[in-house]
Amino acid sequence: MAQSIYITSAEGHSGKSTVALGVLETLGHATPRVGVFRAIARSTKERDYVLEMLLAHDGVDLAYDDCIGTTYDDVRRDPDAALSTIVERYKAVEAKCDAVVIVGSDYTDVGSPAELAYNARIAANLGAPVLLVLGGRAAQGQPEQLGSTVPRTPDEMGQIAALAVTELLHERAEVFAVVANRAGEDLVTETAEAVRASVAASIASHPRADQAAVPVWAIPEDRFLVAPSIRGIMRSVDGELLAGDPDLLTRPALGVVVAAMSIVNVLPRLFEGAVVVIPADRAEVLLATLLANASGTFPSIAGIVLNGGFDLAEPVRRLLDGLGSKVPIITSDLGTYEAAVRIMSTRGRLAADSQRRYDTALSLFENHVDTTELLRAFGVARATVVTPLMFEFQLIERARAGRKRIVLPEGDDDRVLRAAATVLKRGIADLVILGEPFEVRARALELGIDIQAAEVLSPFDAVHVHKFADEYTRLRAHKGMTFERAADTVTDVSYFGTMMVHAGLADGMVSGAAHTTAHTIRPAFEIIKTKPGVSVVSSVFLMALADRVLVYGDCAVIPDPTSEQLADIAVSSAATAAQFGIEPKVAMLSYSTGESGTGADVDKVRAATALVRERAPELLVEGPIQYDAAADAAVGAAKLPGSEVAGRATVFVFPDLNTGNNTYKAVQRSAGALAIGPVLQGLNKPINDLSRGALVRDIVNTIAITAIQAQHGSEPA
């Protein structure tokens, strides 16, 4: 039977989805099969965005329809029958999972005082302890910012906690933990203390003898997390996208500017992240606002709402097309007052389509909730398998443990910027991004992502170019390098980034999203050079399968390695495996196993195996060996009985690049494995290449790997 946790609140708009995402992420790092279940959904006609967001999590593999208990309509018609349906549908999800995160109702339909009691009844019948989320913001009152109202005092939070905990205990639910969410930024500690005291007093006064002590945490409000997106505002004003980049609809709006005055008076009122409401017949204000946004001398706005239902004149439309602004422009038939009111009442949603919100929510949870204590209280046993999600988490945790400085040369690539925002928000590494500072930061603002903590450095910076050119001239003097040629060479982003690593201004470099492998690693060959005792630079992929992680090498660098090079690849790959917590058992792959085969290709692998045993006698190595004999215990026992590697290999060394590259891609696509890499090995300092088709997730993982390599001082030999 799966372990479960029921997340509920005492009122709406508490930020329960943030806590649910944090709990799901935490459980996904500790157990292989994590599920989600929505006890009560708003309706069956409109999909529940909270459930969709949780189902999009990498650790969850369930169908949407299977994860819905019932609806508000069903609860109103027959609460007891609805409860039976919830239990029945939950049991079907539970059977597929090791742990389940159950999300309670949202108080968006009936809003009855009895709703908390009903959630408690559900939790008790599911046998799931309750994690109670308390909202730290007043339910009523004039919003200070979009999506936010004034914070509640610690005393008010304590009173709400007492009432809610008493109600839960009365319905015989077990209170697992309490999170005071959206607390005032300067009231976090006081709020946690007040709630903790109140919860303890409520438990002590209740006759339930089986209720254990309850941990209490407080999470502060984050302005960007609660602010509505431009897409949400578009829905609120019944609008349509007239122009601009649809990808920027996820950007949060931090406030409203009603631009019904002359442009001279509008411009000073613009601020960062504003949504500007402009009557559609004021074309001059629209154009001036767009020009101000593009100028770089005014703040970057989040979007524009053209209200009133007026059609733009054809010359104005043509001018808009020519400007090519990416700012989303929304048209609405509403009047100015109603449009502004609707915008101010729009609330932020934590949805799967906004990476910034996603990262912010996880960062808040990780920084303010003791996840170790949460897991201990939850009773999750240490898993014996390692899923891709668990391995990624291990990478991130190790990178955080000794935070390093990584340079990203491709600051003009949106994927790199999005990955950088995630890395910074999650505290994985410090970053230097190469590019023209204004252009890079302006694009980040357009994308609605936060890279303020990164250093953005121009590869044409005169001071650095002069210094790097001097050093490059010295390094390549034997090739006849001149200062003039060197000064031109080091302005190339790959060379500039590599020189930063060489000079100690960065601990490692990740590039290749927009450049070839050769373009990325050639400077490393010239400047960083190979580690003593290593003749070649090679690569591995960390292949995260459903239940374990394997190492494949070389799949990206050396086309047709010699026996000596194969031996180098094997030794380096074993060291890389050990570096990432994988016990190295090396299989030297061939089309033949043992002594049965003959031919030049088999002899090459046989000679390489002998060299590995000579150079690293402590390594467990077997070769030549076929893939099935290396990976499958039954086949391995039949073909090589008594071998410590056969059937148990963790490091697979391929005889050539053709075999290795195709095999890793076949396993990746056919088995659904997560391929992390290529991870370069053999260099004095870590430089890693990306696939030009790399996703944001791939870039984040590679940055984490590079940071871990840098923690060890050098690449493994």
Side-chain angles (χ1 to χ4, degrees), residues 14-22 49-50 53-54 103 181 349-350 361:
S14 63
K16 186 164 68 265
S17 55
T18 296
V19 177
L21 178 62
Y49 70 88
V50 174
M53 181 264 299
L54 296 175
V103 184
N181 194 32
R349 288 184 172 185
L350 179 54

Side-chain angles (χ1 to χ4, degrees), residues 1-5 31-38 60-63 66-68 85-102 122-129 378:
M1 186 175 71
Q3 294 171 293
S4 59
I5 186 168
T31 191
R33 301 180 303 166
V34 184
V36 294
F37 186 75
R38 184 67 142 150
V60 181
D61 185 20
L62 295 169
D66 295 338
C67 301
I68 295 285
T85 301
I86 292 170
V87 173
E88 181 182 353
R89 292 185 66 82
Y90 166 75
K91 290 297 180 182
V93 171
E94 182 189 42
K96 303 176 184 176
C97 305
D98 300 310
V100 183
V101 176
I102 308 165
I122 297 171
N125 280 273
L126 298 182
F378 195 58

Side-chain angles (χ1 to χ4, degrees), residues 129-278:
V130 172
L131 193 160
L132 175 66
V133 181
L134 304 174
R137 297 282 155 165
Q140 305 293 328
Q142 182 67 32
E144 297 178 319
Q145 302 164 344
L146 281 182
S148 183
T149 58
V150 295
R152 283 169 168 155
T153 66
D155 287 343
E156 290 173 331
M157 294 295 292
Q159 293 169 11
I160 295 170
L163 292 171
V165 169
T166 300
E167 185 72 19
L168 291 172
L169 294 175
H170 179 74
E171 296 294 334
R172 305 200 63 77
E174 178 189 352
V175 183
F176 169 75
V178 178
V179 175
N181 194 32
R182 302 183 62 194
E185 190 174 351
D186 55 348
L187 299 173
V188 173
T189 302
E190 294 87 342
T191 298
E193 291 173 352
V195 171
R196 191 175 292 111
S198 182
V199 170
S202 299
I203 292 173
S205 63
H206 199 274
R208 286 274 303 275
D210 56 340
Q211 175 63 58
V214 174
V216 174
W217 301 288
I219 300 175
E221 172 110 301
D222 186 285
R223 175 182 190 193
F224 290 95
L225 190 58
V226 300
S229 66
I230 297 299
R231 178 175 283 109
I233 288 173
M234 184 168 68
R235 283 195 296 263
S236 294
V237 300
D238 300 324
E240 296 180 355
L241 184 65
L242 175 69
D245 188 348
D247 290 341
L248 303 187
L249 291 173
T250 59
R251 184 173 178 182
L254 304 180
V256 182
V257 174
V258 178
M261 59 196 79
S262 68
I263 190 60
V264 178
N265 293 313
V266 171
L267 290 178
R269 289 172 167 80
L270 299 178
F271 58 87
E272 201 72 41
V275 57
V276 186
V277 181
I278 304 173

Side-chain angles (χ1 to χ4, degrees), residues 573-647:
S573 300
T576 299
Q579 193 174 45
F580 292 99
I582 302 165
E583 182 184 0
K585 295 180 180 180
V586 183
M588 306 294 287
L589 298 176
S590 178
Y591 61 78
S592 174
T593 295
E595 301 298 324
S596 63
T598 59
D601 291 337
V602 179
D603 290 340
K604 180 177 77 170
V605 175
R606 188 173 287 119
T609 305
L611 286 171
V612 172
R613 288 170 174 156
E614 179 184 327
R615 296 178 187 178
E618 74 284 357
L619 275 183
L620 294 176
V621 59
E622 192 70 70
I625 186 171
Q626 293 160 292
Y627 191 100
D628 59 345
D632 187 278
V635 177
K639 291 190 174 183
L640 285 176
S643 172
E644 295 185 79
V645 175

Side-chain angles (χ1 to χ4, degrees), residues 320-543:
L320 281 181
D321 293 340
L323 287 174
S325 174
K326 295 182 179 181
V327 175
I329 302 175
I330 296 164
T331 59
S332 171
D333 292 338
L334 300 177
T336 300
Y337 176 77
E338 188 174 359
V341 169
R342 288 200 186 187
I343 292 170
M344 290 301 296
S345 62
T346 306
R347 294 185 176 270
R349 288 184 172 185
L350 179 54
D353 63 350
S354 176
Q355 189 64 44
R356 179 172 186 176
R357 292 180 191 271
Y358 200 89
D359 293 335
T360 298
L362 288 180
S363 178
L364 282 171
F365 189 88
E366 291 166 350
N367 290 332
H368 296 279
V369 173
D370 187 339
T371 56
T372 302
E373 182 182 357
L374 187 149
L375 286 174
R376 184 170 58 249
F378 195 58
V380 174
R382 186 173 181 84
T384 57
V385 301
V386 179
T387 66
L389 184 64
M390 294 162 74
F391 185 66
E392 284 182 293
F393 175 70
Q394 292 171 11
L395 293 179
I396 289 171
E397 286 293 287
R398 290 186 62 186
R400 283 176 179 155
R403 195 155 161 167
K404 293 297 181 179
R405 182 176 171 89
I406 307 300
V407 59
L408 307 177
E410 298 163 318
D412 56 351
D413 191 295
D414 287 355
R415 293 168 297 166
V416 172
L417 294 181
R418 294 184 188 278
T422 296
V423 167
L424 293 168
K425 182 63 74 173
R426 305 289 303 278
I428 298 170
D430 297 321
L431 297 178
V432 181
I433 302 173
L434 299 188
E436 296 304 319
F438 170 75
E439 295 175 3
V440 172
R441 295 197 183 278
R443 182 55 181 164
L445 287 171
E446 286 181 345
L447 294 171
I449 57 178
D450 181 12
I451 62 166
Q452 292 185 40
E455 179 185 0
V456 182
L457 182 62
S458 169
F460 297 95
D461 179 84
V463 175
H464 286 90
V465 167
H466 190 278
K467 181 170 64 176
F468 292 165
D470 269 342
E471 178 64 8
Y472 188 67
T473 303
R474 185 187 69 80
L475 290 171
R476 304 294 289 174
H478 63 289
K479 294 290 187 179
M481 181 59 62
T482 64
F483 179 85
E484 290 73 20
R485 285 171 54 203
D488 182 61
T489 300
V490 299
T491 59
D492 178 279
V493 290
S494 291
Y495 277 91
F496 194 96
T498 304
M499 288 300 302
M500 288 190 71
V501 177
H502 174 70
L505 301 176
D507 300 304
M509 183 179 87
V510 173
S511 188
H515 295 89
T516 65
T517 295
H519 189 270
T520 298
I521 66 176
R522 184 183 295 113
F525 291 161
E526 296 178 2
I527 299 165
I528 302 297
K529 302 184 178 176
T530 57
K531 186 177 177 65
V534 177
S535 63
V536 294
V537 173
S538 58
S539 72
V540 296
F541 277 87
L542 303 175
M543 303 297 294

